Amino acid sequence: MRMEFPVLTGTHIRLEPLEHRHVDGLIAASALDPTLYQWSAVPQGKLEATRYIDTALALRDAGTAVPFATVRIEDGVVLGSTRFFDIERWAWPQSHPRHGRQPPDVCEIGYTWLSRSAIRTAANTEAKLLMLTHAFETWQVLRVCFHTDARNDRSAAAIQRIGGKFEGVLRSHRMAADFIARDSKRFSIVASEWTAAKLRLVQLLVRSAPPTYPS
């Protein structure tokens, strides 16, 4: 089944389909402060960055992920990465209006990380607005999920701030960045909640600090 790889463009950042040409940008973004990534598997150095992109592209080609490089519009600097993944298409019966559609029915947003200079700017809020708008309004998904390491209180608070509803804790859910079987807090936004969530994201974006960075 053909998968689309869109470019999602906002005011401050652009989400470009992740490619090998982004290797050097990812290396530079993650090298600024590796201590930020206690809870996330973020590539350090060329070998890890190349493997990171190889894995993302393999999942893309399998139809289960759409990975992006997060790029600052002002100067084209790569700030990090994010992706749609765990993309599902349900087996609707022929009589159902959703039968035979190509876009996903549900997906997850994750693998999100940013350089030190992009944290507490509009970059993450705008990326979520772009991705959720695409998911709910172009793909017309029924649900978008988010998971975070149960120890990562900052990430959990950020997901709730954009409208994610807490569903519970999945025990020993995934391998953590520190190579243990981590518990994951699960959140979601469903289609009926999107209008309110979008309004909240727009308001947060307006209030966000402009994405200015040290030279």
Side-chain angles (χ1 to χ4, degrees):
M1 181 173 292
R2 183 180 178 275
M3 194 72 180
E4 61 168 322
F5 310 122
V7 176
L8 306 180
T9 303
T11 301
H12 308 293
I13 59 102
R14 177 174 64 249
L15 299 178
E16 300 178 355
L18 186 65
E19 299 174 3
H20 284 103
R21 65 186 176 87
H22 295 114
V23 164
D24 290 341
L26 294 186
I27 294 168
S30 64
L32 293 175
D33 189 354
T35 63
L36 286 174
Y37 311 120
Q38 179 181 5
W39 311 116
S40 303
V42 174
Q44 301 290 330
K46 187 162 188 176
L47 181 60
E48 287 189 15
T50 300
R51 287 176 177 169
Y52 184 87
I53 294 174
D54 286 344
T55 299
L57 296 185
L59 293 171
R60 181 202 68 183
D61 293 344
T64 62
V66 178
F68 298 98
T70 304
V71 178
R72 188 167 64 211
I73 288 176
E74 180 183 6
D75 54 11
V77 169
V78 174
L79 302 176
S81 186
T82 189
R83 74 184 69 166
F84 294 114
F85 70 109
D86 277 359
I87 290 171
E88 297 181 24
R89 296 172 182 83
W90 295 350
W92 300 98
Q94 288 191 353
S95 59
H96 197 282
R98 293 180 74 93
H99 174 76
R101 66 193 303 273
Q102 289 194 348
D105 290 297
V106 297
C107 66
E108 183 167 347
I109 292 175
Y111 290 89
T112 303
W113 60 274
L114 290 168
S115 64
R116 163 65 76 181
S117 63
I119 292 174
R120 295 187 178 90
T121 72
N124 186 52
T125 302
E126 187 164 56
K128 292 299 189 293
L129 177 60
L130 291 170
M131 294 178 77
L132 286 166
T133 299
H134 189 79
F136 284 113
E137 298 182 14
T138 299
W139 285 347
Q140 298 186 332
V141 299
L142 303 173
R143 184 191 74 239
V144 175
C145 283
F146 307 85
H147 292 93
T148 188
D149 192 308
R151 299 167 292 178
N152 191 347
D153 294 333
R154 186 178 69 177
S155 177
I159 295 169
Q160 288 180 302
R161 189 163 56 249
I162 67 170
K165 298 297 195 317
F166 179 61
E167 295 186 352
V169 175
L170 303 181
R171 298 183 299 163
S172 296
H173 176 227
R174 289 178 178 159
M175 184 175 71
D178 54 354
F179 306 112
I180 67 168
R182 81 173 203 194
D183 294 344
S184 295
K185 289 182 178 177
R186 178 183 174 95
F187 300 84
S188 67
I189 299 173
V190 299
S192 62
E193 298 164 345
W194 169 233
T195 299
K198 183 177 184 179
L199 177 61
R200 183 165 181 77
L201 274 163
V202 170
Q203 292 171 340
L204 286 170
L205 187 58
V206 169
R207 295 200 299 264
S208 294
T212 55
Y213 307 89
S215 59

